[in-house]
Amino acid sequence: MNEIPDGWVEAEIGEIARIETGNTPPKGDPRLYAREVCFYKPGDLDVGGVVSTSHDMVSQAGADAGRLLPADTLLVTCIGNLGKSALIANPAICNQQINAVLPSPVAEPRYLYHWSRTIRSWLEENSSATTVAIINKGRFSKAPIRLAPLPEQRRIVAKIDSLTGKSRRARGHLDHIPRLVEKYKQAVLAAAFRGDLTREWRREQPRQLAVLPRDASRIRQRYADVGDFLPPYDVPVSWRWLRLPQLGDLDRGKSRHRPRNDKRLFGGAYPFIQTGEVRQADRFLTTYRETYSDFGLEQSRLWPVGTVCITIAANIAETAILAIDACFPDSVVGFLPDTGKAGESYVEFFLRTARGELEAFAPATAQKNINLDTLATVRVPTAPLAEQNEIIRRIETAFVWIDRLATEATSARRLINRLDQSVLAKAFRGELVPQDPADEPASVLLERIRVQRASTTPARRKRHRTTEPIR
């Protein structure tokens, strides 16, 4: 560690503040657990500074039966997940998994709180070597602290709080980005399958690709040949609402043998895909945990690369495209497109937009639970192949750009976390705010508290032994 600044002093936390270990009130008396006083446990801490509420409460009698701590006490976890910390806003108690640093006249409470954010590695290195990390009161009392003059402590706290507030706001904005990414992607897909994404592209094509006027009566007349299906929205005149079986081979996966966990089915060369793996795939499915043997393949079906997998159990309507030849059970439906009518990426992207509302793309008589029959009635807004290819290209380009933003946001989030630690490190090296030679040195503060403690520590009473006189 660097040289200590002028006016500062290196000490142990036990030298500048009283340390107490929490205590849980007796559980036998229900009167002790009325909701009057906060009872803090590790799960209540690490919330960004000061806490004023807790999951559990006790009565005033329960607080007296525990160990009531004054406001501005610093709580630091000492068992398990070491170093979670917070200041308490009001008198409260805590359990035995927490060490309490009581307010001290030589240290600002928030200075101690920010110090506690820097000592996690020290706590871990000095914890007892058991299955659960423990740092008892005595060992915790020896935690090192660099104590600045009191006025400088206040300047440090103000600066840290200012910078932390800015980073907290930035972190909050960045935390919204994953949700925005999904919304942006859905917006791109919605525009794609309404024809909006390629509107300018169509204008540059031959005249027959003009957009159909938005007239409900003409839409109904146009789709009179498709039974009771009424399209949920208008599409360009060159598009058609076609059922999945009109675009390719649609069938359930096969796993006819019972029991399904028969060991003879597994351990061969044929990947066996299940619903969870479809959900976890990032568009193209390449990973798997199980394989079928030749015996397993005999009672199943090997679907080729390019098959769109659609889950119909557990995770409903999740999709992925096979990038390997694979088998899957009847909880997954496979769609193998006719390449002369549709591409697998076009269909898979469309199913993403319809995942939450498949019934809107099927006749009113279709069942609401998803099964093979439901999927067979789903209508896909099908563009000509040339436009499908352009749509896929534009979706992929947009997704690359959106994913790049998400990656940059994740990197920025990590940088902010490192920035917070850097600010704390500079603060306790004396580099965050300027020193003032007029400040009373911390060594004087420390000596004052030592004298005060010595004067208030009661002398031990000597125990005298009395003996019977010898007769």
Side-chain angles (χ1 to χ4, degrees), residues 263-272 288 290-297:
K263 293 182 179 179
R264 293 178 297 167
L265 295 171
F266 303 101
Y270 308 104
F272 178 60
Y288 51 91
E290 297 279 1
T291 59
Y292 263 166
S293 63
D294 289 333
F295 178 76
L297 181 61

Side-chain angles (χ1 to χ4, degrees), residues 73-91:
T73 294
L74 171 67
L75 306 182
V76 184
T77 56
C78 59
I79 297 178
N81 187 358
L82 302 177
K84 296 177 65 177
S85 62
L87 292 168
I88 58 175
N90 303 295

Side-chain angles (χ1 to χ4, degrees), residues 79 134 275 283 390 433 445-446 460 470:
I79 297 178
I134 298 174
T275 56
R283 188 179 170 199
E390 181 64 16
V433 298
L445 297 175
L446 189 57
R460 289 188 178 180
I470 299 176

Side-chain angles (χ1 to χ4, degrees), residues 270-390:
Y270 308 104
F272 178 60
I273 303 301
Q274 303 190 62
T275 56
E277 289 152 343
V278 175
R279 181 174 189 175
Q280 293 167 9
D282 183 12
R283 188 179 170 199
F284 293 102
L285 199 159
T286 58
T287 59
Y288 51 91
R289 292 187 299 272
E290 297 279 1
T291 59
Y292 263 166
S293 63
D294 289 333
F295 178 76
L297 181 61
E298 287 177 4
Q299 54 85 56
S300 187
R301 172 180 176 179
L302 189 65
W303 291 82
V305 170
T307 299
V308 180
C309 301
I310 311 163
T311 61
I312 59 172
N315 309 310
I316 301 299
E318 300 284 351
T319 57
I321 300 170
L322 284 183
I324 52 173
D325 295 346
C327 304
F328 42 78
D330 53 10
S331 56
V332 177
V333 168
F335 173 73
L336 190 60
D338 180 339
T339 56
K341 296 179 180 178
E344 63 272 13
S345 288
Y346 185 84
V347 172
E348 196 272 336
F349 277 137
F350 166 72
L351 289 173
R352 292 192 199 187
T353 71
R355 185 173 295 157
E357 48 184 17
L358 279 176
E359 65 272 13
F361 297 90
T365 55
Q367 298 181 36
K368 298 304 178 187
N369 60 311
I370 183 172
N371 55 31
L372 183 63
D373 292 337
T374 303
L375 287 173
T377 60
V378 168
R379 301 271 178 171
V380 179
T382 308
L385 278 175
E387 189 169 357
Q388 287 186 37
N389 293 334
E390 181 64 16

Side-chain angles (χ1 to χ4, degrees), residues 161-354:
D161 288 348
S162 173
L163 295 173
T164 300
K166 293 176 181 178
S167 65
R168 186 184 301 116
R169 288 190 293 274
R171 193 180 291 109
H173 292 313
L174 291 171
D175 286 345
H176 284 297
I177 287 181
R179 292 188 292 273
L180 292 176
V181 162
E182 189 57 33
K183 287 183 178 180
Y184 289 159
K185 286 187 174 182
Q186 286 299 319
V188 169
L189 292 174
F193 291 98
R194 283 174 167 78
D196 296 338
L197 200 60
T198 46
R199 181 183 293 115
E200 295 302 321
W201 179 88
R202 282 192 305 278
R203 287 175 181 170
E204 298 172 0
Q205 305 308 308
R207 187 165 181 171
Q208 60 266 28
L209 291 178
V211 177
L212 183 71
R214 295 181 178 274
D215 184 304
S217 63
R218 293 189 62 179
I219 295 173
R220 289 180 181 277
Q221 181 180 3
R222 179 183 174 195
Y223 292 105
D225 61 332
V226 292
D228 57 357
F229 174 70
L230 179 63
Y233 50 79
D234 191 13
V235 293
V237 67
S238 58
W239 293 28
R240 292 292 179 267
W241 289 91
L242 300 176
R243 292 181 294 108
L244 284 173
Q246 294 176 282
L247 296 172
D249 179 14
L250 183 73
D251 201 0
R252 292 178 74 163
K254 291 182 173 60
S255 184
R256 293 188 294 266
H257 184 78
R258 298 294 182 273
R260 293 183 185 229
N261 61 352
D262 190 330
K263 293 182 179 179
R264 293 178 297 167
L265 295 171
F266 303 101
Y270 308 104
F272 178 60
I273 303 301
Q274 303 190 62
T275 56
E277 289 152 343
V278 175
R279 181 174 189 175
Q280 293 167 9
D282 183 12
R283 188 179 170 199
F284 293 102
L285 199 159
T286 58
T287 59
Y288 51 91
R289 292 187 299 272
E290 297 279 1
T291 59
Y292 263 166
S293 63
D294 289 333
F295 178 76
L297 181 61
E298 287 177 4
Q299 54 85 56
S300 187
R301 172 180 176 179
L302 189 65
W303 291 82
V305 170
T307 299
V308 180
C309 301
I310 311 163
T311 61
I312 59 172
N315 309 310
I316 301 299
E318 300 284 351
T319 57
I321 300 170
L322 284 183
I324 52 173
D325 295 346
C327 304
F328 42 78
D330 53 10
S331 56
V332 177
V333 168
F335 173 73
L336 190 60
D338 180 339
T339 56
K341 296 179 180 178
E344 63 272 13
S345 288
Y346 185 84
V347 172
E348 196 272 336
F349 277 137
F350 166 72
L351 289 173
R352 292 192 199 187
T353 71

